[in-house]
Amino acid sequence: MGPILLAFCLALLAWLLVVGKEVQQRRPDWHWYLTGYPRTALRVILTWRKVAYVNGLTVSHKPNHHIVGGLAVRGEPLRTLTPRCSFPRPTPNGLELTVRLRAGQTPAPFLAAADAFAHSWRMHAVRVVSPERGLVLITATANDPLEHPGRPAVTAPVALLSAVVGALESGRAWVMDFRQVPHWLIVGATQSGKSTLIARLVTQLAPQLVALVGIDCKGGMELGLVESRLSALATSRSEAVTILGHLVTDMQGRMQSCRAAGARSIWDLPEKSRPVPVVVIVDELAELYLTNGSKEQRAEAEQCSTYLLRLAQLGAALGVHLVVAGQRVGSDLGPGVTALRAQLSGRICHRVNDPGTAEMALGDLNKDAVVVAQSIGETEQGVAVTSGDLGGWMRGRSHLTTPAEVQETAAEFAHLTPLLTHLNGGTAA
């Protein structure tokens, strides 16, 4: 009976190992919840007091100096208080816990101890932020999901004007929600992943009742693939001026409708009378601003700049949204670009060729985000630093979307393309 039982146990162990590897490859989140999280949560609980003490995160309830013979003698406190932490909560690719600071503590020492947390808990990375006064949120990731772009796409509930474009390093879905963040800036060097991200965005918005307007002054080489789903496409700056001008006129009409109905935005209007939302995608913004110095081209570029700025300033409440992409969107293109960039609150920075590009995209968010963006390598296509989520920024990777998939999706939902009659310039769909 003994050999039979031993053989059965060995067979069961082998089966579990095979199934475990299969689950880890196909559903890494399930594998983490079932095996990784319980073990890591226990490790966090058992080591929290020691890790906090070693890294100077504890405080003493008594002063650490005494007066002896008129002299102040300073020493290490014998009894210290460890800040209270919550029970570790699981996430799809790690865990998070909240720490309540003791009196006199600041988040700075916890930020400095992030690497110590990662090593002590055997995690891939640890992020520390302070969401509110007196609290610190520690988020640990078990592995880097961005290393495996071929894994199944992360799913998330899709609402109108929201798109799941990839996965975040936390394991959650990377969502661009235009209702929350109305305008987006995307920067990155050639072959960094900008086109893939835009392609993914279009495939996600195509099934929705949304008007897509493209401005691609590279002859339509990128956005021409989805022309069947675009309400209008401009392939030159003169066409862009015409289309943008009509969008500004349409936006003024939306203002009048809202005012007549006593509404502060189109979303306060009855659904039947609500105008269709518009997403304007500008690929390679620099082509709209660069001129040969002639008076005519300068006037055309200035007109483009004025229209884009008006759409960015007034469009959010009126259902007009911008996605502006370029290798560099800096002040060297003119003062209008700087004003436009300030209105684009959503930021996505892929691999860049110079520190200035990362600084102009992410510098007003967080200096750490700028450093991380500059560390993205040439082999990490699709990887970017995006605004939002914890601490104002996070790394993400867009899902690979091939040109064939983009064309197929655009053709499939071409019948949903709204006819914007006021766009009588450019190439109307």
Side-chain angles (χ1 to χ4, degrees), residues 107 111 127-132 135-139 366 390-393:
L111 296 173
R127 286 273 307 278
V128 180
V129 298
S130 179
E132 60 181 88
L135 292 180
V136 165
L137 179 63
I138 301 177
T139 304
N366 192 296
L390 299 176
W393 65 273

Side-chain angles (χ1 to χ4, degrees), residues 4 22-23 55 104 131 137 164 226 251 314 337 340 347 349 351 357 378 400 417:
I4 297 177
E22 186 73 12
V23 172
N55 289 276
L137 179 63
V164 180
V226 296
M251 191 170 62
L314 305 174
V337 174
L340 175 63
R347 305 293 177 84
C349 182
R351 174 179 56 83
T357 302
E378 293 185 1
L400 180 61
T417 303

Side-chain angles (χ1 to χ4, degrees), residues 15-36:
W15 182 81
L16 289 174
L17 291 175
V18 172
V19 172
K21 288 184 178 180
E22 186 73 12
V23 172
Q24 186 175 12
Q25 292 178 355
R26 292 181 177 271
R27 293 304 304 265
D29 52 342
W30 288 8
H31 185 269
W32 164 251
Y33 284 133
L34 294 174
T35 62

Side-chain angles (χ1 to χ4, degrees), residues 173-366:
W174 179 5
V175 180
M176 292 177 64
D177 189 342
F178 290 90
R179 294 290 299 275
Q180 292 185 358
V181 183
H183 309 301
W184 289 82
L185 170 66
I186 305 172
V187 300
T190 303
Q191 300 295 319
S192 64
K194 295 194 310 295
S195 297
T196 299
L197 177 61
I198 292 176
R200 175 70 182 183
L201 175 63
V202 171
T203 59
Q204 289 284 290
L205 293 178
Q208 304 180 29
L209 190 57
V210 174
L212 301 177
V213 175
I215 298 177
D216 182 1
C217 292
K218 294 184 296 184
M221 291 191 302
E222 297 290 346
L223 297 179
L225 298 176
V226 296
E227 186 172 0
S228 60
R229 182 56 182 86
L230 298 179
S231 296
L233 173 63
T235 59
S236 66
R237 183 165 52 203
S238 59
E239 292 178 355
V241 169
T242 302
I243 288 177
L244 292 173
H246 283 292
L247 282 173
V248 170
T249 301
D250 175 68
M251 191 170 62
Q252 293 172 343
R254 297 181 181 215
M255 290 182 195
Q256 294 174 0
S257 299
C258 289
R259 182 178 178 181
R264 300 183 63 184
S265 75
I266 65 167
W267 306 109
D268 296 331
L269 297 174
E271 187 173 354
K272 292 183 178 180
S273 60
R274 183 184 304 156
V276 63
V278 180
V279 177
V280 182
I281 302 173
V282 182
D283 192 13
E284 204 53 68
L285 179 70
E287 293 298 319
L288 296 179
Y289 286 83
L290 296 176
T291 70
N292 61 6
S294 67
K295 182 178 180 181
E296 181 180 295
Q297 289 204 9
R298 289 202 308 270
E300 201 173 61
E302 185 177 344
Q303 193 68 61
C304 265
S305 175
T306 301
Y307 285 151
L308 283 172
L309 186 57
R310 292 199 66 188
L311 292 175
Q313 288 178 331
L314 305 174
L318 302 170
V320 180
H321 308 276
L322 292 180
V323 177
V324 176
Q327 296 186 42
R328 180 173 175 81
V329 188
S331 57
D332 52 321
L333 297 178
V337 174
T338 303
L340 175 63
R341 190 178 69 218
Q343 298 295 326
L344 308 176
S345 53
R347 305 293 177 84
I348 299 173
C349 182
H350 294 82
R351 174 179 56 83
V352 294
N353 291 325
D354 61 288
T357 302
E359 178 67 33
M360 74 182 182
L362 303 171
D364 53 350
L365 295 179
N366 192 296

